[in-house]
Each structure stands twice: as C-alpha cells, then as structure tokens.
Amino acid sequence: MSYGIPAAQPSAQIPVCPRHPDRPAYVRCQRCGRPACPDCQRAAAVGFQCVDCVNETKRTTPSVRSAYGGAVAAGKPLATFGIIAVCGLLYVLQWIIPNDWVYQNFAFATVYATPEYGAFEPWRMLTSAFLHSQGFILHILLNMYMLWIFGQALEPLLGRLRFLAVYLLSAIGGSVGYLLLTPSYIPGQPLSGVVGASGAIFGLFGALLVVQRHRGGDTKQLWVLIAINGVIGFVVPQIAWQAHLGGLITGALCAAVIAYVPRGRRQVPLQIAGLAVVMCLLVAATALRVAVTALPA
C-alpha cells in the first residue's frame, strides 16, 4: 500500500492596488472596500480611504459659501499675504535696481500727453499702489500693517477673489481721485510721482464700513479711524489726501455692490456686473479728465 504526497493547496490570492497592480495592498478603503497601496491611501476620520473616493467626495460635496457668495477661505488670508509679498518685493527692487528705474516706470503722475513726457500711461494708476517711498520706511511698514489687519477681517468674509477685486479697484480709484482733484501738470515745474498703497487701504476702510453696517455691527471705531487717518492726510505734507478719498469711495461702492445684491442664483452675475460698472465709472472719469486737460488753452 502506497501513500502519495498530498497536492499543495493553492495559496490565497494576494490583494493588489487597482491603480498600481504590481503592488500588494493589505489595507482596504473604508468607503468602497477596494485595496489601496500606501501611495493611494488618504487618512479619513476612521481608517483610510482610497484616492479615488477622496476625489469623488470633493467633486460631489458642495463648497461652503459666505453670505456674500464667496467660497469660505479657511486658514491664512493668502490674498492679503500675496499683496504684502508683492509690495515687499518691489520695495527691495526699488533699492537694488539703479537709476530709480522702478519708480520712473511704475509711479503715477498727472502727466497728459505733454511733449516732454509723452503720452498718458494709465497702467501706472494700478502699479503705483505697489510702490512705496524709499526715503520713509514707515510708509511701507504702516501700509502693510493696516493691510494685514483689515485683510484678515475682510478676506474671510468676502472670499479671496472679491477681496482682491475690492483692493485692486480701490487702488485704481485712489489714482483716479488724485487725478481728478490735483491740478494738471504745468511745464517747467518739477514732476512729482505718487506711490503707495494708501488709496487701496482706504478702500478697505470703506469696504469694511459698508460690510459692518450690512451685518448690523458697530461702526463707531471705524469712523474714528477713518477720521484720524483722513486728517493726517491734510496735516502731514507730501500725503495725497486725494488718493485716500478716491480709494475710500471706490472701496465703499465695491462693497455695497457685493453686500446688497440679492442672494441666490443671480448673486454672482450681479456682483460681477456691479463691479464692472464701478470700473467703467473709473475709466470714464479718467478719460474725461485727460480729454479736458489735453484741450488747447
């Protein structure tokens, strides 16, 4: 009587990752149950989920919106920090690039098609808001401090894109205010350029004032802050109060558009249209002022 050697039993099949079939995967997704290799695992509240389930959840989960239609920006105010970084970088370039090149090419001045200085350059109305005085370091430090304070308050409320729109339009509005309320350039007189984020900062003052009133908050301290900074513009020499006023009005208009349009499906299109109207008003005021100034005496 002979006894044969028993046949080997088939080993259990080793699970592999669907995205990487050459890798064994002993951890299964808590959502779909499929195996996932370490590169495809994402930590969940309980256990792990595969990267496909995580992506599917992101696509199907509606984004959280603020009362003003913007996506709620959790964490650090990245738009605010981005503006501060650009201002800081340009301030460094003002020092290291010779012949005052940055100031000469990006500062704003009320020059209208004069034979000495050439054609009016409208982009300076925005770029000048990112430059600061080299002879007074507190100029950039105070502006960036105020931007940091008010940016942390407004950016989470409005959302990053709306906050950026308010800031940039306020910067342009500050230049328009200076343009409208400053005498035109007279040949033979020294050319004085305007730089600084003050107009845009005043725009944030106006925007926060409108938002606070819309939310039913107290605005007394904000009014005091605006009044103090407004008086400083008249008392301290070489401060363009005209830019402060233009930025304040523009920022308030932008915030009113964002805050007071009806909520619902048409909220975003109406906000875009309203901000476009504000921009058109700034362009029209600039074009009219330049045209009137360029007329022969």
Side-chain angles (χ1 to χ4, degrees):
M1 185 174 181
S2 63
Y3 296 91
I5 300 174
Q9 298 295 323
S11 60
Q13 185 176 4
I14 298 176
V16 296
C17 177
R19 294 169 62 90
H20 303 95
D22 59 330
R23 303 180 187 178
Y26 297 101
V27 176
R28 293 185 177 274
C29 173
Q30 294 292 322
R31 189 165 182 260
C32 68
R34 294 184 302 173
C37 69
D39 289 341
C40 295
Q41 296 171 16
R42 299 294 183 268
V46 178
F48 294 90
Q49 291 186 8
C50 66
V51 65
D52 294 324
C53 287
V54 171
N55 292 334
E56 179 65 23
T57 301
K58 289 181 179 179
R59 286 193 297 267
T60 58
T61 302
S63 59
V64 181
R65 297 280 172 179
S66 70
Y68 303 113
V72 173
K76 297 180 180 180
L78 298 181
T80 299
F81 289 163
I83 297 170
I84 293 174
V86 172
C87 290
L89 174 62
L90 287 175
Y91 191 70
V92 172
L93 293 179
Q94 285 180 257
W95 283 99
I96 64 177
I97 297 181
N99 301 322
D100 220 6
W101 184 88
V102 176
Y103 175 87
Q104 295 293 338
N105 285 274
F106 297 108
F108 176 65
T110 52
V111 180
Y112 318 102
T114 59
E116 186 176 358
Y117 290 99
F120 177 61
E121 298 173 336
W123 62 84
R124 294 174 178 265
M125 303 179 82
L126 177 61
T127 58
S128 61
F130 294 91
L131 306 183
H132 289 83
S133 172
Q134 293 177 256
F136 187 52
I137 193 171
L138 284 179
H139 187 210
I140 185 171
L141 292 180
L142 291 175
N143 277 343
M144 295 303 99
Y145 175 72
M146 298 303 293
L147 172 57
W148 180 64
I149 293 295
F150 281 82
Q152 291 186 97
L154 273 173
E155 186 176 336
L157 288 174
L158 303 180
R160 293 193 179 108
L161 292 179
R162 287 163 180 77
F163 174 78
L164 276 174
V166 170
Y167 186 87
L168 297 177
L169 285 173
S170 297
I172 298 172
S175 296
V176 173
Y178 183 80
L179 180 69
L180 297 178
L181 301 174
T182 304
S184 356
Y185 171 71
I186 301 176
Q189 288 188 354
L191 176 60
S192 178
V194 178
V195 294
S198 301
I201 300 299
F202 267 78
L204 299 185
F205 291 172
L208 186 57
L209 182 65
V210 171
V211 170
Q212 279 289 87
R213 288 185 60 87
H214 180 259
R215 301 175 70 211
D218 184 24
T219 59
K220 292 180 182 178
Q221 293 183 354
L222 190 54
W223 276 114
V224 172
L225 179 64
I226 293 173
I228 292 174
N229 283 274
V231 170
I232 291 175
F234 289 96
V235 174
V236 179
Q238 296 184 337
I239 292 182
W241 62 267
Q242 303 93 333
H244 295 176
L245 181 60
L248 180 69
I249 294 173
T250 304
L253 286 175
C254 292
V257 167
I258 293 173
Y260 287 97
V261 298
R263 298 184 64 177
R265 294 170 55 188
R266 296 188 299 171
Q267 183 181 27
V268 174
L270 288 175
Q271 288 174 339
I272 294 174
L275 293 175
V277 169
V278 174
M279 184 63 194
C280 289
L281 290 175
L282 296 176
V283 171
T286 301
L288 180 61
R289 174 66 164 152
V290 172
V292 170
T293 307
L295 292 175

